[in-house]
Amino acid sequence: VVEKCQLYLSPEYTVTPAQLAVEAIGMEVSARERELVLRTMGRKYKMRLHTTSKLPADLNRENYEIKGYAEYVDEVPLVFKHSKINLNISSKTITSGIPQRVFDILACGGFCLTNYQPEIAEYFKEDYELVMYRGMEELMEKTDYYLSHEEERRAIAQNGQNALIER
């Protein structure tokens, strides 16, 4: 796996080939999960993507507005604040902790819909400061719900931002 992915480190690193392989597999699984989310959600919703990543060739482009790179300091906060739903799909290589994106979305007053991770549930009040999903079906259900419940969605976004300010 390490050779196929062309992952090589200089001798100063103490990472074993097995650790590199686990990292490579985690990155591939994460990419496939994100593609599945894009395909599934894109069948039903109009989506705006800020990415420089290559998108799958078979992705139906009709429901996607591809915006390209968003500058982190000046543009990203506005994207998070003004998007109805901001998705966080944690990398499978992150086995514990809270992804920085969750903090970034909430700090900007954005609504965060994230995959479940124990540390997120320990730190934030689910369905009060942010919303978590545990599978594709639940992701779609919660997206439907919060797109049609704007006041509740805005209140959760405000509660999430307040939680960061208060803590």
Side-chain angles (χ1 to χ4, degrees), residues 32-48:
R32 289 181 186 199
E33 179 183 17
R34 290 172 178 162
E35 287 178 10
L36 176 63
V37 168
L38 283 177
R39 280 188 184 90
T40 303
M41 293 188 83
R43 288 186 202 114
K44 187 169 187 178
Y45 309 110
K46 297 269 185 204
M47 298 177 70
R48 183 177 39 226

Side-chain angles (χ1 to χ4, degrees), residues 41 45 85 113 138-147:
M41 293 188 83
Y45 309 110
I85 295 177
L113 178 56
E138 188 176 19
L139 171 61
M140 297 299 285
E141 289 170 1
K142 289 188 174 190
T143 299
D144 283 341
Y145 180 84
Y146 286 106
L147 285 175

Side-chain angles (χ1 to χ4, degrees), residues 2 7-24:
V2 174
L7 296 173
Y8 302 101
L9 296 175
S10 63
E12 300 90 58
Y13 290 94
T14 59
V15 177
T16 67
Q19 289 170 314
L20 277 178
V22 167
E23 194 73 18

Side-chain angles (χ1 to χ4, degrees), residues 47-64:
M47 298 177 70
R48 183 177 39 226
L49 302 175
H50 290 268
T51 184
T52 57
S53 297
K54 184 179 176 188
L55 297 172
D58 64 336
L59 194 67
N60 178 347
R61 309 285 172 145
E62 290 179 21
N63 281 346
Y64 298 96

Side-chain angles (χ1 to χ4, degrees), residues 153-164:
R153 187 179 72 239
R154 287 184 183 193
I156 290 170
Q158 185 63 58
N159 293 340
Q161 186 178 42
N162 291 344
L164 288 182

